[in-house]
């Protein structure tokens, strides 16, 4: 995947071309190329996304691309990169949804050089380097104002809160972000999507059902945001000290439209480069004598299946509530989390829990030895077209 190229500004840059990001193999090839290039040369690495999603039907896999975004902020935080954005608007939009635009703008500027190839707009937009604050009244105003000023971060189908943990106490973070901002965005979104509520009901019943739906959607984002309070905790976490630690997080909501015989999907994403679920829960669980650093898969399985013991669930109850809503709406949870153990080695766990109406959930958990993921990315998908709930195709968004 890589080769040596010569440019005027970077005479010995290592070129890494990314033509697709749809499978685990694509992610492994990219990560391996970055490792090989960074270990064998001090030259900058040119990440070339120009061919990505150039054809309109071609899509990237958001969940796998979220893994790449994490790698650019953790394992390769100190790697000198030259970034060539996708040449197509579709490709750039896909990378924005999958957290890669966030990762590029949140990296150290001295190590991240953008080559826009004379494109009219800068990409990622400067706004991807912003931070959210509960005291930033302008941010809330921009979400809900009616105007023509475009903003890739804030619109009726897509909203991203950048580093919400950085400038907010827990109460401000949970209340102001989930209730006053994300909650209001959800309310407006539902009211503009009448197909998400069964139209055969009388008007009063439809309004009641609509309010119930809004309440459930708010609960999902509330529980995801609450977990950010634990992502960067300072209590005794195994392998807490680490080099090149960029404390970054984002909370994202967006809609993907269903086509013929398909369904609309609402996506909730909470991603951080914190200590990871296992390292956060382990100090609460080890005193029972039943858990240690080798219990990663068991802890993740019990978390998703709502089977954690009471003394280990102070930061895990949110997944109980998320699971109940996923079951109701036949949704999906994609979870990737990793932590550095006491010997400094990274353990990465990946889980996909799929809920199908009238059936038991399908849960797949793997320990991914090829990745060095740090932190947690939780991606919840809810299918919200009442008339098409039996159709299921969620591998790519």
């Amino acid at each position: 995947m890589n080769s040596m190229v010569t440019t005027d500004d970077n005479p010995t840059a290592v070129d890494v071309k990314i033509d697709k990001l749809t499978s685990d193999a694509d992610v492994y090839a990219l990560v391996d190329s970055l490792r090989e290039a960074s270990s064998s040369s001090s030259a900058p690495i040119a990440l070339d996304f120009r061919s990505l999603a150039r054809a309109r039907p071609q899509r990237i896999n958001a969940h796998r691309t979220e893994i790449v975004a994490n790698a650019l902020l953790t394992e390769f935080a100190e790697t000198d990169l030259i970034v060539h954005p996708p040449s197509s608007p579709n490709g750039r939009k896909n990378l924005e949804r999958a957290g890669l635009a966030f990762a590029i703008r949140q990296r150290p500027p001295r190590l991240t050089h953008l080559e826009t190839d004379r494109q009219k707009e800068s990409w990622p937009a400067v706004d991807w380097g912003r931070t959210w604050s509960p005291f930033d009244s302008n941010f809330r105003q921009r979400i809900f104002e009616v105007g023509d000023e475009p903003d890739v971060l804030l619109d009726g189908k897509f909203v991203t809160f950048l580093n919400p943990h950085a400038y907010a106490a827990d109460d401000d973070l949970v209340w102001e972000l989930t209730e006053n901002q994300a909650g209001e965005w959800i309310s407006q979104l539902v009211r503009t999507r009448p197909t998400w509520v069964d139209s055969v009901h009388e008007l009063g019943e439809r309004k009641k059902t609509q309010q119930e739906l809004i309440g459930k959607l708010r609960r999902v984002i509330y529980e995801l945001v609450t977990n950010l309070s634990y992502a960067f905790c300072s209590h005794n976490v195994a392998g807490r000290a680490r080099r090149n630690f960029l404390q970054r997080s984002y909370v994202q909501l967006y809609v993907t439209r269903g086509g013929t015989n398909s369904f609309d999907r609402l996506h909730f994403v909470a991603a951080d480069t914190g200590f990871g679920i296992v390292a956060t829960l382990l100090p609460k669980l080890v005193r029972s004598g039943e858990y240690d650093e080798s219990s990663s898969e068991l802890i993740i399985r019990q978390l998703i299946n709502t089977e954690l013991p009471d003394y280990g669930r102070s930061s895990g109850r949110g997944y109980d509530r998320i699971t109940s809503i996923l079951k109701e709406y036949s949704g999906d949870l994609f979870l990737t989390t990793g932590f550095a153990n006491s010997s400094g080695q990274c353990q990465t766990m990946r889980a996909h829990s799929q809920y199908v109406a009238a059936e038991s959930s399908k849960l797949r958990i793997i320990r991914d030895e090829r990745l060095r993921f740090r932190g947690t990315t939780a991606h919840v998908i809810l299918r919200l077209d009442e008339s098409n709930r039996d159709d299921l195709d969620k591998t790519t968004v």
Side-chain angles (χ1 to χ4, degrees), residues 170-188:
D170 290 351
D171 290 344
D172 290 327
L173 175 65
V174 173
W175 178 258
E176 184 66 25
L177 193 156
T178 62
E179 293 300 318
N180 289 347
Q181 298 193 17
E184 286 301 311
W185 185 87
I186 289 170
S187 299
Q188 292 192 23

Side-chain angles (χ1 to χ4, degrees), residues 22 59-64 66 254 256 262-267 326-327 329-334 352-357 359 362 379-385 388-397:
T22 58
R59 287 179 163 182
I60 69 168
N61 183 288
H63 319 296
R64 293 178 172 92
E66 288 160 359
Y254 63 92
T256 51
S262 187
F263 45 83
D264 290 354
R265 287 160 289 191
L266 184 55
H267 300 253
L326 284 168
K327 288 179 179 178
Y329 289 92
S330 301
D332 286 70
L333 168 64
F334 290 85
H352 176 203
S353 189
Q354 184 180 67
Y355 300 87
V356 183
E359 296 182 19
K362 302 175 182 179
H379 188 146
V380 173
I381 304 175
L382 297 180
R383 297 187 297 140
L384 289 171
D385 189 338
N388 295 305
R389 280 196 179 176
D390 292 331
D391 298 307
L392 201 60
D393 178 18
K394 310 188 193 71
T395 55
T396 302
V397 290

Side-chain angles (χ1 to χ4, degrees), residues 3-15 42-47 80-84 110-115:
S3 61
M4 299 300 292
V5 298
T6 300
T7 67
D8 292 339
D9 297 329
N10 302 282
T12 57
V14 181
D15 191 28
S42 60
I45 300 172
L47 283 180
D80 197 352
L81 298 180
I82 302 166
V83 179
H84 295 273
R110 63 183 174 83
L111 297 172
T112 312
H113 317 283
L114 301 176
E115 296 288 345

